[in-house]
């Protein structure tokens, strides 16, 4: 399981303040802690919803430079803006990167898929289109088909693409857990060479005992073929769920990671 650390995200008020103050030390602490906890990638999202596009580009370039000066962990660059993504990848200068994200919309695909090819980056693609997140499994698969077609057209191999079936809160629509899991299952059938990713914690939005729900959902998703998760790597319960899920679906040879994680405790 590929863990993508979610904690550098401007939607978290304390992180927004770090970005606005350009607090190098606190940003590095967030990056280093997540790397040490076992993140394969660190997500970087500086979108505050305020300020101009140029402000956001400068904030992203600052964050990337500060982090990559201290650690070699690959970065997951989280923005919907192709111009910002390009500016970020220039700072990365060939270091391993994951673009987060594109979606099934023609203009977006024709910007971002070639960008991934040019910078030799992997790409997260959301199972949504210009109208938003489809409610049904079939419509999410149709979005994935359009994405796969664009990847083929622009020469991005599907094994560099992480399809995201998308997670909506069960508190607002009780069918959404099932829709995400079934979409994941169908993606693995139809696009067997692609990888899958999702942001887990949305599932529990608006409910008590979120960590328990998130961990249960992680187990179900790994069983359905989830390859990567955007999650909190500093949350012991979530990292324990990664270890237990992998061991139970045969993705942890000789139970090695499981044993190492729990023997220490
Ligand atoms: N798919 C893709 N990218 C994504 C998402 C997705 N990027 C953004 C988001 N969804 C995933 N990232 C976050 C980051 C932070 C939080 C939730 C999702 C968050 N963090 C709080 C904190 O750290 O303080 C609370 C954590 C908690 O309660 O568990 O809320 O779906 N491709």
């Amino acid at each position: 399981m590929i863990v993508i650390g979610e904690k550098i995200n401007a939607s978290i008020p304390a992180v927004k303040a770090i970005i606005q103050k350009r607090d190098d030390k606190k940003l590095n602490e967030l990056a280093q802690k997540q790397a040490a906890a076992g993140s394969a990638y660190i997500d970087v999202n500086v979108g505050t919803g305020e300020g101009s596009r140029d402000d956001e580009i400068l904030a992203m370039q600052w964050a990337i430079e500060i982090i990559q000066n201290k650690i070699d962990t690959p970065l997951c660059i989280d923005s919907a803006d192709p111009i910002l993504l390009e500016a970020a990848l220039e700072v990365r200068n060939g270091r391993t990167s994951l673009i987060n994200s594109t979606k099934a919309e023609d203009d977006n695909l024709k910007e971002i898929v070639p960008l991934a090819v040019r910078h030799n980056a992997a790409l997260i693609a959301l199972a949504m289109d210009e109208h938003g997140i489809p409610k049904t499994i079939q419509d999410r698969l149709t979005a994935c088909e359009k994405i796969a077609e664009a990847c083929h057209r622009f020469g991005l191999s599907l094994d560099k693409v992480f399809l995201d079936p998308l997670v909506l809160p069960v508190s607002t629509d009780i069918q959404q857990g099932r829709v995400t899991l079934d979409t994941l299952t169908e993606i693995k059938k139809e696009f067997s060479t692609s990888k899958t990713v999702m942001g887990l914690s949305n599932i529990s939005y608006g409910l008590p005992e979120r960590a328990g729900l998130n961990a249960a959902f992680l187990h179900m998703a790994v069983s359905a073929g989830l390859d990567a998760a955007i999650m909190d790597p500093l949350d012991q319960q979530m990292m324990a769920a990664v270890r237990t899920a992998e061991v139970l679906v045969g993705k942890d040879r000789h139970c090695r990671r499981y044993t190492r994680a729990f023997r220490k405790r």
Side-chain angles (χ1 to χ4, degrees):
M1 173 85 160
I2 297 165
V3 173
I4 304 172
E6 72 178 12
K7 298 201 79 78
I8 299 180
N9 191 305
S11 72
I12 304 168
V15 177
K16 182 175 166 181
I18 289 170
I19 293 163
Q20 285 173 338
K21 288 187 217 149
R22 298 288 196 269
D23 188 336
D24 298 9
K25 188 159 170 278
K26 289 216 170 108
L27 184 75
N28 267 327
E29 266 170 33
L30 273 180
Q32 272 161 343
K33 273 198 269 179
Q34 294 187 93
S39 304
Y41 291 87
I42 294 168
D43 194 75
V44 183
N45 181 322
V46 300
T48 56
E50 298 163 17
S52 66
R53 178 192 245 177
D54 285 348
D55 292 338
E56 204 165 308
I57 290 175
L58 289 172
M60 180 59 96
Q61 292 186 315
W62 163 77
I64 291 172
E65 256 166 26
I66 294 301
I67 298 167
Q68 74 189 16
N69 269 340
K70 282 277 185 341
I71 60 174
D72 292 330
T73 308
L75 300 183
C76 174
I77 301 163
D78 193 345
S79 170
D81 179 353
I83 303 288
L84 182 146
L85 291 170
E86 172 126 58
L89 288 165
E90 275 161 15
V91 176
R92 290 295 283 158
N93 195 20
R95 295 171 182 86
T96 307
S97 304
L98 175 56
I99 298 171
N100 185 13
S101 57
T102 186
K103 63 182 174 185
E105 196 259 308
D106 285 322
D107 288 341
N108 196 277
L109 285 168
K110 79 169 187 248
E111 296 282 331
I112 295 183
V113 177
L115 184 66
V117 174
R118 277 204 305 280
H119 289 267
N120 191 29
L123 175 62
I124 294 178
L126 311 177
M128 64 181 284
D129 56 25
E130 64 270 30
H131 307 298
I133 303 178
K135 282 254 170 340
T136 67
I137 300 158
Q138 187 48 58
D139 288 350
R140 291 191 198 187
L141 283 172
T142 301
C144 293
E145 282 159 11
K146 183 164 178 171
I147 291 160
E149 192 276 320
C151 291
H152 182 70
R153 183 155 33 104
F154 295 116
L156 183 66
S157 165
L158 272 193
D159 59 17
K160 298 204 75 175
V161 178
F162 290 78
L163 293 169
D164 184 338
L166 292 168
V167 178
L168 289 173
V170 286
S171 57
T172 50
D173 174 0
I174 195 59
Q175 295 308 322
Q176 281 305 317
R178 194 73 262 162
V179 167
T180 297
L181 293 169
D182 289 350
T183 303
L184 190 55
T185 303
E186 294 304 316
I187 286 172
K188 289 308 259 190
K189 272 195 219 153
E190 196 171 330
F191 310 100
S192 60
T193 58
S194 78
K195 297 190 174 77
T196 52
V197 64
M198 59 201 214
L200 285 167
S201 54
N202 228 12
I203 197 72
S204 61
Y205 183 81
L207 292 171
E209 197 51 37
R210 290 189 65 179
L213 265 183
N214 294 346
F217 195 52
L218 174 73
H219 279 132
M220 298 167 107
V222 169
S223 175
L226 188 69
D227 298 292
I230 304 171
M231 54 175 263
D232 182 356
L234 307 184
D235 181 328
Q236 294 242 347
Q237 193 174 356
M238 288 304 289
M239 286 307 269
V242 170
R243 298 282 89 89
T244 53
E246 281 182 332
V247 90
L248 292 173
V249 297
K251 286 187 173 173
D252 181 6
R253 288 229 300 165
H254 309 300
C255 309
R256 202 161 270 149
R257 287 194 292 271
Y258 178 89
T259 309
R260 202 189 304 130
F262 292 108
R263 204 166 32 204
K264 270 196 280 185
R265 293 200 178 176

